[in-house]
Amino acid sequence: MADDASFDPHNVDLDNASQTDIICYLNQGGNAYNGQMGARISALFVILVVSTAATFFPVLATRVRRLRIPIYAYLFARYFGSGVIIATAFIHLLDPAYGKIGPATCVGLTGGWASYSWPPAIALTSVMVIFGMDFAADCYVERRYGRTAPAVEDVITGDVPAGDGDANKRIGFNRPDSKKDDGQDIEELKNLSGDSEAIERGFHSQIAAFLILEFGVIFHSVIIGLNLGVAGDEFSTLYPVLVFHQSFEGLGIGARLSVIPFPTRLRWMPWVLCLAYGLTTPIAIAIGLGLHSTYDSGSFTASVVSGVLDSISAGILIYTGLVEMLARDFIFNPNRPDSKKRLALMLVSLYLGSGIMALLGKWA
């Protein structure tokens, strides 16, 4: 890092001053905390309640049948959340990483950081590592259980592909119940659970990818919580924006979790995973409040940690969003729904989630 003690910002010789000295001075954040402790404490609880509720909603929709959540409401939540995850990767992770350790930053002009553009390199490394882990998990599942795994809509509605013969009996699916409500059929959401081999196969084929996704989102949530706890004048803007931000991300997490079939011995896991996401940001906010007089989000060390974690998380979410969410659900899904109405809803929800989350990047 540049020697700040030898740099006088009030008497700069542009012919001799180093670019690093000038940029490091301009990027200095300092501790911007400006009080409003009551509002910050309220943010902790509001984000806890709202983001946790959003995360639990898709899981409840497929597990508590008496709620009778319409499948179109579920599909909107699921694909809106997918769009949110993809926009988060590019707008809320990769771009801030450039702002922390990119070539035009204090970190990016110092030492070994100046030798390469690290944000895309770290994100690329993250993508390739996640691909290797995903591929290894897929190979393991294929060797142990065979290639077939329950499709997304098979799990949430209990349907099986046409022409699959005795598939209901073979893998334990049940046809959805149809009930009349004001003369219209209601297609009930269901979640596949139990102890059959098909459930084990579906669980093992999907849980690794989900855990990687949640791991990446939690990284991001920790940084968000710390920054909100010590934010200065921008706190009043960040507060409402991050309530929506964390709720939308939670919706994406819950939607992906809701279609994973869990064996009976692990039926507690989806609830714990939802709660883990809901607690992460509030805990980070509490830590930020505890460090409100000393933590400097613009310091060299904080910038390196934040930039590296954002880059890693960006790679995780880019891979998960484009491969697990888009490619597998839309392009390579042999059981993609034939209903144009349903497909239209899925696509509109996807683009809406992506667009709204990208817009939130203007403020947070």
Side-chain angles (χ1 to χ4, degrees):
M1 185 177 178
D3 184 7
D4 293 336
S6 64
F7 179 70
D8 181 5
H10 303 292
N11 185 22
V12 180
D13 182 352
L14 294 178
D15 292 327
N16 298 314
S18 73
Q19 182 186 35
T20 302
D21 284 334
I22 295 173
I23 291 180
C24 285
Y25 174 77
L26 294 175
N27 285 358
Q28 282 179 352
N31 184 273
Y33 177 80
N34 65 348
Q36 304 182 70
M37 181 61 76
R40 294 171 194 270
I41 293 175
S42 74
L44 187 158
F45 291 102
V46 170
I47 290 178
L48 170 63
V49 172
V50 177
S51 65
T52 302
T55 310
F56 272 109
F57 169 74
V59 179
L60 287 169
T62 56
R63 284 170 170 78
V64 183
R65 295 183 59 188
R66 64 177 175 271
L67 293 177
R68 299 179 67 192
I69 303 296
I71 190 171
Y72 286 100
Y74 171 82
L75 289 176
F76 171 81
R78 173 179 171 80
Y79 290 103
F80 183 91
S82 296
V84 164
I85 294 297
I86 295 167
T88 297
F90 290 98
I91 306 299
H92 296 268
L93 289 171
L94 194 56
D95 182 63
Y98 273 99
K100 292 293 186 179
I101 61 174
T105 64
C106 178
V107 173
L109 293 169
T110 306
W113 295 99
S115 63
Y116 198 73
S117 182
W118 289 104
I122 296 172
L124 173 63
T125 302
S126 180
V127 167
M128 299 311 293
V129 169
I130 299 309
F131 163 72
M133 295 171 62
D134 194 23
F135 183 64
D138 193 60
C139 288
Y140 166 78
V141 172
E142 181 181 339
R143 286 197 302 271
R144 183 166 180 177
Y145 300 105
R147 294 193 59 88
T148 305
V152 170
E153 292 213 346
D154 293 345
V155 175
I156 62 174
T157 68
D159 287 333
V160 293
D164 202 24
D166 199 28
N168 279 329
K169 182 177 179 180
R170 177 167 49 85
I171 63 176
F173 282 125
N174 295 309
R175 289 285 182 184
D177 295 332
S178 293
K179 297 184 179 181
K180 294 290 184 179
D181 184 12
D182 296 329
Q184 294 182 350
D185 288 334
I186 297 176
E187 189 174 14
E188 292 190 353
L189 295 169
K190 293 184 179 181
N191 177 266
L192 187 63
S193 61
D195 295 307
S196 69
E197 183 177 301
I199 292 168
E200 289 284 349
R201 181 175 65 239
F203 171 75
H204 287 290
S205 68
Q206 298 181 56
I207 191 62
F210 173 80
L211 291 176
I212 290 168
L213 168 65
E214 182 160 18
F215 183 67
V217 172
I218 283 178
F219 263 175
H220 178 45
S221 298
V222 169
I223 301 299
I224 282 177
L226 285 173
N227 289 339
L228 184 63
V230 301
D233 294 337
E234 70 273 19
F235 171 78
S236 58
T237 302
L238 282 176
Y239 183 173
V241 169
L242 291 183
V243 170
F244 286 103
H245 181 286
Q246 293 304 102
S247 299
F248 291 162
E249 279 191 353
L251 199 60
I253 289 287
R256 305 313 298 185
L257 184 59
S258 67
V259 297
I260 300 176
F262 283 88
T264 302
R265 71 181 186 281
L266 297 174
R267 58 188 176 189
W268 52 267
M269 185 177 285
W271 312 109
V272 171
L273 292 173
C274 286
L275 189 60
Y277 169 78
L279 288 172
T280 299
T281 301
I283 290 174
I285 293 173
I287 294 172
L289 292 176
L291 302 174
H292 69 269
S293 62
T294 57
Y295 180 72
D296 178 8
S297 61
S299 68
F300 188 89
T301 300
S303 294
V304 170
V305 172
S306 177
V308 170
L309 290 182
D310 279 351
S311 298
I312 293 172
S313 297
I316 292 173
L317 267 63
I318 286 172
Y319 176 84
T320 303
L322 299 182
V323 176
E324 298 291 336
M325 297 181 178
L326 293 192
R328 290 191 181 178
D329 279 8
F330 287 95
I331 299 175
F332 301 117
N333 181 6
N335 301 309
R336 186 172 59 232
D338 294 326
S339 169
K340 293 181 180 179
K341 181 180 178 181
R342 187 170 294 186
L343 280 174
L345 174 67
M346 292 161 60
L347 290 171
V348 169
S349 302
L350 176 74
Y351 284 109
L352 187 63
S354 178
I356 291 178
M357 198 63 171
L359 179 62
L360 288 180
K362 177 177 173 63
W363 300 281

